[in-house]
Amino acid sequence: MDTSSPAVFVNAEILKMYLGRRVRAVIQVMRNDAGVIVGQSTDGNQITVKGAQAFPPAHFVEVIGIADGSQSIRAEICTDFGESFDMTAYNGLCQLANGKFKNLFL
């Protein structure tokens, strides 16, 4: 596991705390617009992903990249998780990884 550039688990609300840093988020694709994905974060808010390839609407996508705005990520790696994903569980992970158990995560 490469720990030289860790990515913080975020949802849309937590994303704004890590501007300029490497983050990872899961979104459900709402639409694709010429290299930009607009999706719903696990907390129900919207995130824009720049520099990503197109994914089918309604698919869940993990995005790893740089938080370049309070609601946007400049993508480095995108992974299609398909049409089924537990957004509630992932949102709970984001809360724990940035709260009570932050010391357990890189």
Side-chain angles (χ1 to χ4, degrees):
M1 178 181 194
D2 180 12
T3 59
S4 62
S5 183
V8 181
F9 289 96
V10 298
N11 57 27
E13 184 64 31
I14 295 169
L15 178 64
K16 60 187 89 172
M17 295 172 22
Y18 293 100
L19 295 179
R21 294 199 39 208
R22 197 160 193 248
V23 296
R24 79 174 52 221
V26 173
I27 61 167
Q28 184 173 25
V29 177
M30 295 164 51
R31 67 180 182 278
N32 295 286
D33 294 320
V36 175
I37 296 175
V38 177
Q40 181 178 356
S41 174
T42 57
D43 63 358
N45 295 311
Q46 185 173 298
I47 291 180
T48 302
V49 180
K50 302 172 186 172
Q53 70 268 29
F55 290 95
H59 273 228
F60 294 92
V61 177
E62 180 186 51
V63 178
I64 299 174
I66 304 299
D68 69 349
S70 63
Q71 292 184 315
S72 67
I73 299 171
R74 186 172 18 92
E76 295 173 349
I77 301 168
C78 295
T79 305
D80 189 345
F81 282 178
E83 297 177 355
S84 179
F85 185 80
D86 190 340
M87 290 180 73
T88 303
Y90 188 89
N91 196 58
L93 172 64
C94 293
Q95 298 294 328
L96 291 172
N98 289 281
K100 184 177 180 181
F101 298 104
K102 188 173 185 174
N103 61 321
L104 297 177
F105 294 86
L106 297 174

